[in-house]
Every structure is written in C-alpha cells, then in structure tokens.
Amino acid sequence: MKVLIINGPNLNLLGRREPGIYGSQTMDAALDACHRIADIEYFQSNHEGALIDKLHQVGFSKDYAGIVLNAGAYTHTSLALADAIAAIELPVVEVHISNVHAREEIRHRSLISGVCRGVIAGFGLNSYRLGVEALICG
Ligand code: DQA
C-alpha cells in the first residue's frame, strides 16, 4: 500500500524558507524518513487547482492507504480544497511543520481539519512521518 504525501505552496522552499520556523532541512530529509516505513509517492505544487486535481486523481484508488497533506497557507483559505478532501474516499491526514496554534491568529483556523481524518502539527519535519504512521497503523 502506498501513501501519497502532498505539499502545497512555498513548501518547495523548505530548507531556505524562514529556517527559524521551518528548519534548515529540505523535504528530502523528511521523505527519507517516510520511505523507511512506507511506499511513498510525493507531489508538490504551488497551485490550488493542481492540488485539487491530484486529490481527485488518487483519491479513489485502492492502491493507497491514504494521503498526508500539508496544504500550506491554503489550509486557512481554501474551501475548494476542503470540498475536494470531502469528495474523495481516501483518508487525508492534515500536517503542519510548525505549531500553527502558537502562531498568528489567522493560522489558528483551518478550513480542511473538519474533513480530514486527523491533524498533526508542530513536530517539524517529523510531522510528515507521524502522518504516514497514522495512516499505516490505524
Ligand atoms: C504550514 C503552516 C501554514 O500556516 C503556512 O502557511 C505554511 C506552512 C506548516 O507546515 O507549518 O506554508 O502549513
């Protein structure tokens, strides 16, 4: 069984982007840890529609245990992404590198949490591995 990890906008800059918040490691480090425990497919896009297309494409497949999604700032703004998650059959785990609840108030609201299986936030790049574990263990 595969797990799809999806990263949204600006997460292609991990390692260079605001290292005080997101750390100085690239996504490759997180993916290495995930590859050790599951068969991982990875997709990143800065475009809302591309993220939705990917959810539609994989979301009814029997080959995946689920999807780990860091929607970046779209977490806080995108009803379209929430609708896409609600529409598909696979479970989606919402993950964040930072503890969004310890940050600006606008980041406390997630439009997608209510349609996700669960939420993991604040564990740095380990959040991705924890998300994968949540899907393959339960
Ligand atoms: C983030 C938190 C979001 O608020 C932010 O817009 C991101 C990254 C995180 O992983 O901590 O781009 O999802």
Side-chain angles (χ1 to χ4, degrees):
M1 288 285 255
K2 295 194 279 189
V3 172
L4 172 65
I5 298 177
I6 300 181
N7 265 346
N10 302 306
L11 291 162
N12 53 312
L13 296 180
L14 276 179
R16 287 191 289 165
R17 172 195 184 197
E18 300 184 89
I21 297 173
Y22 300 112
S24 49
Q25 287 191 303
T26 66
M27 190 61 198
D28 285 346
L31 289 174
D32 279 351
C34 294
H35 279 302
R36 269 180 236 124
I37 57 169
D39 182 5
I40 302 293
E41 180 185 328
Y42 177 62
F43 178 78
Q44 190 276 331
S45 178
N46 294 318
H47 304 280
E48 189 177 17
L51 298 171
I52 291 168
D53 286 344
K54 190 67 182 177
L55 288 167
H56 290 179
Q57 182 198 318
V58 167
F60 297 90
S61 169
K62 304 280 178 242
D63 299 334
Y64 293 78
I67 299 168
V68 170
L69 172 64
N70 185 346
Y74 289 140
T75 303
H76 318 296
T77 63
S78 179
L79 188 57
L81 207 49
D83 284 348
I85 296 166
I88 63 175
E89 289 173 354
L90 285 179
V92 176
V93 176
E94 174 184 351
V95 304
H96 300 285
I97 299 162
S98 64
N99 179 357
V100 284
H101 299 286
R103 300 181 62 191
E104 312 96 294
E105 203 173 331
I106 196 164
R107 296 183 203 273
H108 299 181
R109 183 184 72 155
S110 167
L111 295 190
I112 66 171
S113 295
V115 288
C116 286
R117 175 66 60 89
V119 183
I120 295 166
F123 296 97
L125 291 184
N126 287 328
S127 294
Y128 292 96
R129 180 176 48 77
L130 294 169
V132 172
E133 282 177 1
L135 285 170
I136 60 177
C137 299

